[in-house]
């Protein structure tokens, strides 16, 4: 096995090409570092990716799962700007979410006006038809009570969100029709399985800061175009060496200082020499790669659980849903998104293309291993109940995608298990949505972790090499109050 060393300047190896690793690599390259990015898959993007499917409806570009972001996700918005993709994932002008009660067939809306927070949601909540007048008033009081919680308070980490809600007069219907409607999609768990600290962070940031904080951003192109194609082009322009289909096997100390990252690709093994290493991989993979003693109580990483997300994909021969997306109550269906355009669905000459709907099913522990046939029997009748046009439409394709370890589980107590960016080993750092970002497992949390890792590397380099390139300013990664290097 040979060790590769390129010149005498500072070298960083980033292991993992998801959003955390790509962000760290770009930020460090902007600071003048020489960066090698290693990714085991043949693509970038981590768990927010696309693939091609030869469907009976034609060739489709399929996202493994539906991903959205909020206006308050300033770091992720900075990532989109950095890779030149802002216009490809536009934000709503103002928050507007249609919510359909399957039992009553009635649509309500969660929307905002232009008033300051929290008044921006008051009119919408006052008219929300899925709660009684008393439940609406109680929900308003609970929302205001969230303002007094500090998500950084360690005491909140051990409490569950549902207990806090019930103590403030929230009925089970209110929890399902309002709090879980938002919380399941953002936290990937129902209120009873969510740390109060994480719930407070999500609801305070999204609902109680700026009026537009919760406006939704939805990609109008496949995720792979954002997180692989545009990201790879940005990496190449920045001089980052990107090694795809290359798996990191081990980390060991190099003679004379620094580190060697053993990697394997196409049956060949070699070692990459580095002054610093960022592990931007899942927490269990990080545990396997870190040398013993890298963290205090290192096995705590294995105590971080995971939560699945199931995605159901249905292609109809006609348009069955008018809205670009829809949330559902009283149904196993949670959220429905129209992905006809991004998937590239086209009809025969002179015929309409039909419609491609993607159902995003979070906290899907009970269904993640169900056979596709059983899921078809469960969800097609539900879609026909929610969307009358679907009852008479022909299904051209039905398939599912499963992410069994989509996110870390946001259970009470998870905060004490999440490590910071720095390890006890000089020059070795961590990144990933599972690290101690203060955010749940979101694209925003992943990007923030990458920025934090780049700051840590750059800070050490600046202290060791005064006047070196580490003093340069990173470009446009965090704006609007977001994190920056």
């Amino acid at each position: 096995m040979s060790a590769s060393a390129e010149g005498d300047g500072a070298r960083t190896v980033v292991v993992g090409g998801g959003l955390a690793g790509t962000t760290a690599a770009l930020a460090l390259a902007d600071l003048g570092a020489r960066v090698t990015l290693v990714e085991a898959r043949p693509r970038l993007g981590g768990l927010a990716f696309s693939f091609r499917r030869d469907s009976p409806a034609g060739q489709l570009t399929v996202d493994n799962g539906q991903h959205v972001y909020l206006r308050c996700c300033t770091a992720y918005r900075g990532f989109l700007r950095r890779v030149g993709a802002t216009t490809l994932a536009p934000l709503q002008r103002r928050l507007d979410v249609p919510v359909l009660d399957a039992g009553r067939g009635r649509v309500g809306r969660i929307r905002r006006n232009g008033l300051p927070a929290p008044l921006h949601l008051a009119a919408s909540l006052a008219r929300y038809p899925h709660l009684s007048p008393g439940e609406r008033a109680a929900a308003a009081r609970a929302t205001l009570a969230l303002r007094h919680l500090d998500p950084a308070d360690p005491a909140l980490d051990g409490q569950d969100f549902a207990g806090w809600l019930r103590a403030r007069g929230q009925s089970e219907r209110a929890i399902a029709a309002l709090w879980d409607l938002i919380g399941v999609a953002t936290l990937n768990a129902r209120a009873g399985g969510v740390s109060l600290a994480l719930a407070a962070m999500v609801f305070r940031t999204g609902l109680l800061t700026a009026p537009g904080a919760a406006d939704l951003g939805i990609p109008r192109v496949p995720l792979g175009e954002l997180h692989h194609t545009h990201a790879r082009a940005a990496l190449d322009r920045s001089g980052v060496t990107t090694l795809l289909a290359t798996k990191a096997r081990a980390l060991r100390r190099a003679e004379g200082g620094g580190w060697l990252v053993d990697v394997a690709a196409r049956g060949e093994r070699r070692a990459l020499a580095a002054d610093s290493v960022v592990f931007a991989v899942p927490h269990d993979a990080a545990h396997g790669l870190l040398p013993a003693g890298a963290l205090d109580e290192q096995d705590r990483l294995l105590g971080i659980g995971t939560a699945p997300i199931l995605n159901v994909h249905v292609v109809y021969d006609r348009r069955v849903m008018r809205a670009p997306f829809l949330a559902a109550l009283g149904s196993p269906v949670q959220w429905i998104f129209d992905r006809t355009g991004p998937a590239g669905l086209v009809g025969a000459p002179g015929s309409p293309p039909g419609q491609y709907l993607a159902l995003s099913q979070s906290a899907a522990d009970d269904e993640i291993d169900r056979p596709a046939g059983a899921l078809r029997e469960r969800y097609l009748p539900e879609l026909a109940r929610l969307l009358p046009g679907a009852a008479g439409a022909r299904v051209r394709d039905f398939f599912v995608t499963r992410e069994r370890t989509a996110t870390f589980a946001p259970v009470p107590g998870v905060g004490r298990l999440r490590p910071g960016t720095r390890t006890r080993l000089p020059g070795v750092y961590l990144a990933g949505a599972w690290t101690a970002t203060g955010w749940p497992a979101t694209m925003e949390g992943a990007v923030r972790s990458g920025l934090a890792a780049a700051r840590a590397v750059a800070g050490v380099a600046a202290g060791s090499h005064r006047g070196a390139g580490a003093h340069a300013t990173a470009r446009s990664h965090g704006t609007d109050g977001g994190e920056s290097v």
Side-chain angles (χ1 to χ4, degrees):
M1 183 183 296
S2 64
S4 62
E6 305 173 28
D8 298 324
R11 298 154 298 176
T12 300
V13 171
V14 178
V15 180
L19 286 173
T22 301
T23 297
L26 285 169
L28 285 164
D30 288 348
L31 291 165
R34 288 187 298 143
V35 183
T36 299
L37 176 62
V38 177
E39 168 54 51
R41 301 179 180 92
R43 54 159 180 81
L44 301 172
L47 293 181
F49 68 95
S50 306
F51 62 92
R52 299 290 285 175
R53 175 178 173 83
D54 291 324
S55 165
Q59 193 168 73
L60 303 176
T61 302
V62 176
D63 289 342
N64 70 312
Q66 179 62 49
H67 289 67
V68 303
Y69 69 100
L70 305 181
R71 193 181 295 276
C72 62
C73 294
T74 53
Y76 180 69
R77 291 169 59 200
F79 172 86
L80 292 177
R81 279 189 290 273
R82 178 64 182 82
V83 302
T86 297
T87 60
L88 302 180
L91 284 156
Q92 291 178 311
R93 189 177 69 86
R94 286 187 179 177
L95 174 69
D96 187 1
V97 178
V99 184
L100 173 61
D101 184 323
R104 296 188 296 164
R106 186 173 182 182
V107 176
R109 306 191 87 89
I110 298 175
R111 54 171 38 143
R112 74 170 179 91
N113 55 33
L115 294 175
L119 298 177
H120 65 308
L121 294 171
S124 174
L125 183 58
R127 293 192 296 267
Y128 191 57
H130 307 317
L131 300 180
S132 69
E135 288 169 330
R136 293 175 210 156
R141 290 192 295 270
T143 301
L144 294 176
L146 283 168
R147 302 177 78 177
H148 302 293
L149 297 182
D150 178 6
D153 181 354
L156 300 189
D157 178 50
Q159 302 178 48
D160 73 274
F161 187 39
W164 185 90
L165 288 171
R166 293 188 186 103
R168 280 145 191 86
Q170 303 305 288
S171 67
E172 295 305 312
R173 181 170 69 168
I175 292 174
L178 182 62
W179 302 103
D180 272 351
L181 179 77
I182 300 168
V184 169
T186 54
L187 294 155
N188 198 22
R190 290 176 174 80
V194 171
S195 156
L196 178 56
L198 284 173
M201 185 273 153
V202 166
F203 284 95
R204 278 172 52 95
T205 303
L207 301 182
L208 297 172
T209 55
D215 298 346
L216 290 177
I218 302 177
R220 59 178 180 84
V221 298
L223 290 172
E225 188 168 337
L226 303 176
H227 302 154
H228 174 76
T229 305
H230 277 73
R232 177 62 189 270
L235 290 165
D236 290 347
R237 288 192 301 270
S238 298
V240 174
T241 299
T242 303
L243 304 178
L244 300 179
T246 302
K247 186 174 180 62
R249 296 291 188 183
L251 175 70
R252 54 196 172 91
R253 293 186 182 274
E255 293 183 12
W259 298 96
L260 293 173
V261 182
D262 295 334
V263 301
R266 294 172 289 279
E268 296 184 1
R269 301 189 67 175
R270 61 175 172 145
L272 303 176
D275 300 291
S276 56
V277 179
V278 176
F279 285 117
V281 293
H283 61 273
D284 54 345
H287 181 273
L289 288 167
L290 287 171
L295 298 173
D296 292 328
E297 299 182 65
Q298 196 156 313
D299 285 348
R300 286 194 305 179
L301 291 182
L302 300 179
I304 301 175
T306 58
I309 296 177
L310 173 73
N311 291 273
V312 177
H313 307 260
V314 187
V315 182
Y316 291 100
D317 67 345
R318 67 195 70 174
R319 189 171 185 82
V320 300
M321 186 175 80
R322 295 182 181 178
F325 63 92
L326 179 71
L329 299 175
S331 168
V333 173
Q334 295 175 14
W335 290 77
I336 313 172
F337 294 87
D338 180 2
R339 302 304 288 166
T340 305
L345 178 65
V346 296
S351 302
Q355 191 170 33
Y356 171 8
L357 300 182
L359 280 60
S360 182
Q361 303 292 115
S362 301
D365 303 79
D366 295 338
E367 294 190 318
I368 194 65
D369 291 320
R370 281 197 184 190
L375 294 169
R376 182 185 179 109
E377 292 178 2
R378 177 173 173 79
Y379 282 102
L380 288 184
E382 276 300 311
L383 284 170
R385 184 164 74 106
L386 293 167
L387 307 170
R394 180 170 64 89
V395 176
R396 301 174 66 192
D397 197 6
F398 180 98
F399 59 100
V400 298
T401 52
R402 312 170 199 262
E403 292 295 345
R404 290 177 173 81
T405 58
T407 69
F408 71 81
V411 296
V414 72
R416 65 180 179 82
L417 303 178
R418 299 171 69 182
T421 299
R422 298 176 183 273
T423 72
R424 296 176 64 185
L425 304 177
V428 179
Y429 306 89
L430 300 175
W434 52 273
T435 59
T437 66
W439 284 69
T442 57
M443 296 189 297
E444 175 73 2
V447 173
R448 284 175 178 258
S449 76
L451 294 173
R455 275 201 307 277
V457 173
V460 171
S464 302
H465 307 288
R466 294 295 177 186
H471 285 293
T473 301
R475 294 179 310 201
S476 67
H477 230 74
T479 58
D480 298 333
E483 300 208 9
S484 58
V485 176

